[in-house]
């Protein structure tokens, strides 16, 4: 029975993927941030799905994830890793606090490499696959999400390099690039934008108020009119099981 790890499985694409792969017979290790989210996943899934508390920028929790995987898979190895956890820090780059920029890069990029490094010995055992959830925002960029775009453009580069480095072990490394998907990231990004703007000087609103309002309106529309995350979950399953998967899959508009 194939075993897969999914990070950021509390909500949105990660949760949809965890439940979809569970329904397909995978043993799913679902990374969540708190016990309540894990219990909610368990209620919606089979006994194969096992939540594990992991913040991908918490070194100790990532190490514990590795130990859990080692104990679970033994000599069979890990068949798949879905690097999905992510946030959207929305603010004009001119006034974006550097700590917030670093947090964006840590969660959307550095943390994924940390998880990948930790689990690669088990992926190598199984000749498993690594699925990086990128974004159409890793191919084109717009205003007010410069930090997010930077993280996703970087994820595209990391994915392509990793694919080439791991080819000799027949490990497939795949990028999935969702477009507008109806997930909570839009609402949380909008909340982050509101918090950051309240901390910025009045000049930030003077310079960028109209652009910020437009970005928030787009986010509000995408949160309800985007494709359901289950569509992305189906592509993740395809990328994990296709005999010859693509190097990248675009999903949605």
């Amino acid at each position: 029975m194939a075993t897969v790890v999914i990070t950021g499985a509390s909500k949105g694409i990660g949760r949809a993927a965890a439940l979809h792969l569970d329904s397909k017979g995978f043993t799913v290790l679902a990374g969540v941030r708190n016990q309540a989210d894990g219990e909610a996943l368990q209620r919606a899934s089979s006994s194969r799905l096992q939540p594990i508390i992991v913040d991908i920028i918490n070194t100790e929790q990532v190490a514990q994830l590795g130990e859990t995987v080692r104990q679970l898979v033994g000599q069979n190895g890990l068949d798949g890793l879905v690097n999905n956890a992510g946030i959207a820090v929305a603010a004009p780059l001119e006034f974006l606090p550097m700590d917030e920029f670093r947090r964006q890069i840590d969660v959307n990029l550095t943390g994924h490499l940390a998880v990948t490094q930790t689990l690669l010995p088990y992926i190598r055992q199984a000749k498993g696959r690594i699925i990086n959830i990128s974004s159409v925002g890793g191919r084109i960029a717009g205003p007010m999400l410069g930090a997010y775009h930077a993280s996703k453009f970087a994820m595209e580069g990391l994915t392509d390099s990793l694919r080439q480095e791991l080819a000799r072990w027949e490990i497939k490394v795949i990028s999935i690039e969702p477009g507008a998907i109806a997930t909570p990231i839009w609402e949380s990004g909008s909340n982050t934008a509101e918090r950051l703007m309240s901390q910025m000087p009045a000049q930030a609103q003077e310079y960028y108020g109209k652009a910020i309002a437009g970005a928030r309106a787009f986010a509000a529309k995408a949160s309800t009119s985007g494709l359901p995350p289950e569509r992305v979950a189906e592509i993740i399953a395809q990328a994990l099981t296709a005999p010859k998967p693509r190097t990248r899959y675009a999903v949605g508009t």
Side-chain angles (χ1 to χ4, degrees):
M1 187 177 295
T3 302
V4 62
V5 169
I6 304 175
T7 63
S10 295
K11 302 174 182 177
I13 290 170
R15 187 176 195 277
L19 294 176
H20 183 67
L21 292 174
D22 174 68
S23 74
K24 293 290 185 181
F26 282 80
T27 296
V28 178
L29 267 180
V32 296
R33 293 284 301 278
N34 59 67
Q35 185 174 345
D37 288 340
E39 291 172 352
L41 264 177
Q42 284 181 308
R43 288 193 297 270
S45 65
S46 78
S47 59
R48 287 186 304 274
L49 187 147
Q50 179 181 338
I52 181 168
I53 303 295
V54 59
D55 179 340
I56 66 170
I57 62 173
N58 183 309
T59 303
E60 292 181 358
Q61 291 184 2
V62 171
Q64 182 56 54
L65 171 64
E67 178 60 20
T68 300
V69 170
R70 185 189 69 79
Q71 294 177 9
L72 178 67
V73 303
Q75 295 302 310
N76 294 324
L78 180 64
D79 300 285
L81 165 62
V82 182
N83 284 313
N84 167 75
I87 59 173
V89 175
L93 288 169
E94 181 178 359
F95 294 99
L96 178 65
M98 290 310 300
D99 284 349
E100 291 290 339
F101 183 82
R102 293 186 184 98
R103 184 171 74 96
Q104 175 75 90
I105 300 301
D106 282 347
V107 175
N108 283 22
L109 183 70
T110 311
H112 294 307
L113 181 57
V115 171
T116 300
Q117 289 180 344
T118 299
L119 299 184
L120 252 174
Y122 316 113
I123 296 170
R124 185 176 278 111
Q125 283 178 318
K127 294 183 180 178
R129 297 182 181 182
I130 299 169
I131 313 295
N132 289 335
I133 306 302
S134 180
S135 170
V136 68
R139 300 175 67 178
I140 56 172
M144 302 301 117
L145 281 171
Y148 175 82
H149 288 302
S151 72
K152 293 300 186 178
F153 270 73
M155 177 59 96
E156 290 288 328
L158 184 147
T159 302
D160 285 343
S161 291
L162 194 62
R163 179 186 306 112
Q164 295 169 66
E165 292 174 3
L166 298 180
R168 61 174 289 197
W169 291 282
E170 300 180 47
I171 297 171
K172 306 294 186 184
V173 184
I174 300 154
S175 177
I176 294 183
E177 303 166 334
I181 309 296
T183 74
I185 195 171
W186 298 104
E187 181 180 357
S188 60
S190 184
N191 291 339
T192 298
E194 185 173 355
R195 173 178 61 82
L196 291 177
M197 287 304 297
S198 70
Q199 300 168 2
M200 291 179 188
Q203 199 173 38
Q205 184 65 40
E206 177 188 348
Y207 287 177
Y208 296 106
K210 186 174 181 180
I212 291 166
R216 294 185 69 176
F218 175 82
K221 182 178 179 181
S223 68
T224 57
S225 63
L227 288 177
E230 287 75 15
R231 289 284 295 276
V232 186
E234 292 169 1
I235 298 299
I236 291 171
Q238 182 180 338
L240 285 169
T241 58
K244 294 183 178 181
R246 303 176 191 172
T247 57
R248 49 182 37 83
Y249 293 82
V251 190
T253 55

